[in-house]
Amino acid sequence: MTGAQIPQDQDVPAVLYVCADRGTLVPGLAARRAHDEGRAFAREHGLTIAEVVTDEYGEPDPARRHGWQRVRELARTGAVADVLVRWPTAIAPESAPDLRHRETSWLREQGVRLRYTWAPLAQAGDWPLC
């Protein structure tokens, strides 16, 4: 099953994943925006957020982050149908596209749809942007 085949269903919730850079001028701003955009996206698309999972920004390999490990557990057990992320670099930085591709492919293999909540990406629809 691919992510595109998952039905729009409020019975299977989403997880909001937040991994944002801690800005020096306005600490926490990026994380707040990721939370706000994720919740707004969920409302617009009739999704229920079952859990918000956060990680500190810095570790490039998502598999080494405790929060992303939780996201994988939720996906593996079928507890969520969607993973909401602000943008691709929250999963892995631009310098590590192979890590991001590995994780997005794994989610698709689990039948979980990855959805980007930042407006320009959200408007692009449900397609795998690695």
Side-chain angles (χ1 to χ4, degrees):
M1 177 188 307
T2 65
Q5 294 172 325
I6 296 172
Q8 291 284 357
D9 187 354
Q10 284 186 288
D11 295 333
V12 182
V15 59
L16 173 59
Y17 179 69
V18 177
C19 183
D21 193 359
R22 292 171 289 155
T24 54
L25 294 176
V26 186
L29 179 62
R32 278 195 309 277
R33 284 187 178 159
H35 277 97
D36 294 347
E37 287 173 7
R39 291 187 187 288
F41 181 93
R43 274 191 308 275
E44 285 177 28
H45 293 86
L47 300 172
T48 300
I49 296 176
E51 192 170 331
V52 177
V53 176
T54 61
D55 271 321
E56 287 189 28
Y57 187 83
E59 170 56 57
D61 187 349
R64 301 176 102 194
R65 295 186 218 130
H66 293 291
W68 189 257
Q69 291 170 11
R70 175 66 180 151
V71 168
R72 281 180 133 248
E73 177 184 346
L74 292 167
R76 183 183 52 75
T77 62
V80 296
D82 296 277
V83 175
L84 308 180
V85 179
R86 189 171 193 212
W87 42 42
T89 57
I91 300 169
E94 290 295 329
S95 62
D98 55 324
L99 297 175
R100 187 168 52 249
H101 179 70
R102 177 193 73 203
E103 296 304 312
T104 58
S105 293
W106 184 86
L107 288 171
R108 275 193 307 276
E109 290 167 8
Q110 304 309 304
V112 174
R113 181 173 39 198
L114 176 65
R115 302 178 83 178
Y116 297 106
T117 63
W118 184 55
L121 296 177
Q123 293 171 1
D126 297 331
W127 48 276
L129 177 63
C130 305

